[in-house]
Structures are given as structure tokens and as C-alpha cells.
Amino acid sequence: QSTWGLDCTQMAAQAAVEEYMPTSVLLTGGAGFIGSNTLIHLVKKYPGVKFVNYDSLEYCACLKNLEEIENEPNYKFVHGDITNAELVRYIFQTEKIDTVMHFAAQTHVDNSFGNSFKFTTANVLGTHVLLESARAYGGIKRFIHVSSDEVYGECLEHHLDEDSMLHPTQPYAATKAAAEHLAVGYFKSYKLPIIITRGNNVYGPRQFPEKVIPKFINLIMRGRKCCLHGRGQAQRSFLYASDVAEAFDVIMRKGAIGATYNIGTLFELSMYDMTKLLYAAMGEEFSDDKIEFVRDRDFNDQRYAISPARLEALGWAPKVGFEEGLRMTVEWYRKNSGNWGDVEDALVAHPRLVSDLSSRAL
């Protein structure tokens, strides 16, 4: 039994009907990491579908991420903030939006320890504005709300399914859980066609280097030590960006309204072991003296672990192995690490980047 929407029988019945295909999609946060990878995949695959990228161009966004589709006839960029209800409603109406894919969010845990109010504004208020705008508009057939595995909190045993209790342990995760509750409230009260996703860590091209893998690539390229939190023993699962884009494609077409889907992998490793593999992918010899063990986060979940079985039942499975994905990621950053301009502020152990840095290269 699903905790908020459909039970398993109802989800199976929805999956058996004809696949859904949108005509006009509003994708928020499309100049960010996962959003841009998903947009490129969808714009190229579905030339008959219009995709409107709505992004405020915060510090971690980069329009260079989208150069390969910027001239496609089914792609359009709109510079705007998701808390701007008037502009959101205007886009719904003028672009005849029938599907929302809501990626836009503040996502970096370190930032949330230093500037948590901004996370509440973007992740909770921003989601609420989108939901209310969608309700008032009345023409939305799918609203895919992108959340995180971090809403489950620390999981030291087993792999959690979508019906597991939410137990966020830090400000970022708490705002994502709050946003989920708003989405569920609009599903229950107004029958808004909500689908929720919760994903593992993602890596690959186009990720701003405040996150661990592109940060460490940039540090190694500069001949500097990688800064591991604590002793580097926290366990994490990683999915390559193209696999995640495929997952959103499947969920858009086959996902059941009223369902939650974990986008995950059973593969996991410690951050220390990830660092060793990254050095190998870069053709560099690894030794402990190339690591700087730094103060841990105020609270650092030691393990996230989710079961992707429900999504796999729709026909999705990751294709890119971790070491292969690392090699492709390293190759991309060797060529494109300058896309964001000066990223030195992001390469420190505990970055505290805020919106006044959004003037960096777009």
C-alpha cells in the first residue's frame, strides 16, 4: 500500500494503459546539472514536443550546458524565478503547458548549513508557487516533482522502498521533504496529477564543482589534495547522468499518477574508495598523502540506500558502470572545466555559496 497515492495494484493498472506523451513541457531548473542532462535527452528524442526551460540562473546554473540544443525548434529558454507566481502563470497559459518537470532547487547540503533560509524559499515556497499556479491554470496532466533520497535520512541497513518513512536529518533534506508534503496535499485536495521521484547521488557532465566528484576532478587537475569529510567512510550510491535522464523519460511516459519512484542503484561505496577510483580514472597514482581529511559536516548521514525495484518494473535500469562513468566524466571536465568561470570558492572543503555569486559565467 502506497503511503499517499496508489497501491501496487492501481499502479500496475495505470502502467498497462497507453503511454502518456506530453505536448508542451515546463522543466524548471533546466540550466542546472540534472535538469540540463534531462533536457538534452528529451529535446533530441522528442522533436514534436515543446520543452520550455525555466531557470533563474543561480550560481550553479550554466547556459553553456545547453549549447547543443539552444537552436532546436522545440526548445525555449525563459529566465525566471519559480517564486514569481505571475510569470509562472503567464508561461503556463502562453505556452499551453500540459506537463511540469520540477527540478529547480537549492541542493548542496553544505550550503544549507550556512544559508538554510534560502533553501526554504527556493525549495518550499518555490514548489508551493508552482503547485498553486498549476492548480489555478487547470491544464496540467502530469506534475513530476523531483525530490531526493536524503528525505529518508540515514539508512544503515537494507534498502528503503518508496513507502518508507521520511526522516530528514539536515536543512536541505528537510526542505525537500516539506516540498513533497505540499505536492501530496495538492494531489489529495485538488487532484493535481502528481508523481514524485527520489534519487541517489548523480554524477557526470555539466555538474557545478561544489559537488564531490567534479570538485575532486578540479582539485586533482590543479595538483591539490582532495578534501574528504571525516575519515571518508560515509557510503554513497552514484548514478551516471545519462541513466538518470533515461529514468525521467520513463517516468514521464509510464509513471503512474499518485506514485513515488526511487531512482537508484544497489551499487555503493565509501567516499574514500570513490576517491581512489577517481585518481585511477584520471591516470594518477593514489596515496593517502593526496587526501586532506577535514572536519565533518555538522551532521553527515553515513549511508543512503534505496530500492529502485518499482522503477525497474517500468523497464528502466542503469547502463553505465561507475568506473566507465568516471572516465567519461573526467574527459568532459578536462575540456569544459572553465564553463562556470572562476570556481575557486566551490573547491574549499565546506563551501557556502550564495546567490550574489550568480554573476559568474553563464
Side-chain angles (χ1 to χ4, degrees):
Q1 175 71 36
S2 171
T3 53
W4 66 275
L6 304 181
D7 62 30
C8 294
T9 303
Q10 290 170 318
M11 280 188 281
Q14 271 205 34
V17 303
E18 184 177 353
E19 290 185 9
Y20 171 73
M21 183 56 63
T23 62
S24 185
V25 178
L26 177 69
L27 192 149
T28 69
F33 169 47
I34 304 176
S36 64
N37 280 281
T38 302
L39 257 179
I40 290 168
H41 170 86
L42 295 174
V43 167
K44 290 182 173 181
K45 185 173 179 180
Y46 302 110
V49 178
K50 183 198 316 182
F51 292 92
V52 180
N53 174 13
Y54 187 82
D55 198 296
S56 65
L57 298 180
E58 279 279 339
Y59 70 92
C60 54
C62 181
L63 287 178
K64 289 183 180 180
N65 285 346
L66 297 156
E67 285 181 340
E68 63 187 279
I69 61 167
E70 63 183 1
N71 295 318
E72 295 295 328
N74 63 326
Y75 170 74
K76 179 176 183 178
F77 172 69
V78 176
H79 186 191
D81 194 301
I82 55 173
T83 61
N84 185 338
E86 184 176 358
L87 181 55
V88 169
R89 293 179 186 180
Y90 175 79
I91 296 300
F92 278 149
Q93 293 165 0
T94 57
E95 301 294 341
K96 297 180 172 57
I97 300 297
D98 61 13
T99 302
V100 176
M101 302 181 79
H102 177 32
F103 288 83
Q106 290 286 334
T107 64
H108 193 45
V109 173
D110 277 324
N111 284 350
S112 79
F113 286 122
N115 189 17
S116 57
F117 289 133
K118 187 170 182 59
F119 281 66
T120 301
T121 301
N123 299 353
V124 183
L125 177 59
T127 298
H128 199 169
V129 168
L130 280 174
L131 291 166
E132 177 59 20
S133 299
R135 182 202 66 79
Y137 168 63
I140 299 301
K141 297 177 181 177
R142 294 288 190 284
F143 189 115
I144 299 172
H145 176 71
V146 181
S147 191
S148 165
D149 62 352
E150 298 191 36
V151 298
Y152 293 118
E154 189 172 65
C155 172
L156 299 180
E157 298 179 357
H158 313 300
H159 287 78
L160 300 175
D161 66 19
E162 292 85 349
D163 298 334
S164 301
M165 181 179 294
L166 305 190
H167 191 202
T169 57
Q170 27 81 0
Y172 159 64
T175 63
K176 294 300 286 185
E180 281 198 32
H181 287 309
L182 279 168
V184 171
Y186 272 75
F187 171 79
K188 292 285 191 179
S189 295
Y190 304 115
K191 312 304 180 189
L192 201 65
I194 300 293
I195 299 172
I196 292 173
T197 70
R198 300 174 184 145
N200 277 149
N201 283 16
V202 185
Y203 72 106
R206 306 177 183 89
Q207 187 173 33
F208 183 69
E210 67 184 355
K211 300 295 178 74
V212 62
I213 289 178
K215 173 187 285 189
F216 283 11
I217 291 172
N218 274 271
L219 287 170
I220 294 168
M221 287 194 299
R222 288 162 168 76
R224 286 148 61 178
K225 292 184 178 183
C226 294
C227 43
L228 275 177
H229 293 167
R231 300 304 299 175
Q233 295 308 304
Q235 298 280 123
R236 293 294 184 264
S237 297
F238 290 91
L239 282 170
Y240 191 66
S242 63
D243 284 330
V244 175
E246 288 273 4
F248 282 107
D249 183 357
V250 170
I251 291 167
M252 179 185 74
R253 293 182 289 110
K254 299 181 180 181
I257 294 169
T260 301
Y261 295 95
N262 286 339
I263 304 175
T265 174
L266 301 184
F267 169 80
E268 58 186 290
L269 76 172
S270 72
M271 300 306 290
Y272 179 86
D273 289 338
M274 181 279 295
T275 307
K276 290 199 295 183
L277 290 175
L278 182 56
Y279 268 92
M282 297 189 71
E284 300 273 350
E285 184 177 345
F286 174 81
S287 61
D288 276 358
D289 63 4
K290 294 186 176 181
I291 293 178
E292 180 184 2
F293 293 100
V294 300
R295 175 183 61 82
D296 212 340
R297 288 171 172 167
D298 294 341
F299 184 85
N300 195 359
D301 294 305
Q302 289 304 293
R303 179 177 183 258
Y304 302 115
I306 57 176
S307 168
R310 183 178 292 176
L311 179 56
E312 289 173 345
L314 298 183
W316 174 85
K319 300 173 183 176
V320 180
F322 186 62
E323 293 183 50
E324 177 190 1
L326 280 182
R327 288 192 293 271
M328 292 190 291
T329 303
V330 167
E331 181 180 355
W332 190 89
Y333 280 95
R334 289 195 192 279
K335 299 175 182 176
N336 299 283
S337 62
N339 278 10
W340 295 270
D342 181 5
V343 296
E344 280 298 318
D345 293 334
L347 301 183
V348 300
H350 298 281
R352 295 289 191 268
L353 302 181
V354 292
S355 59
D356 60 5
L357 296 179
S358 61
S359 60
R360 69 178 67 247
L362 301 178

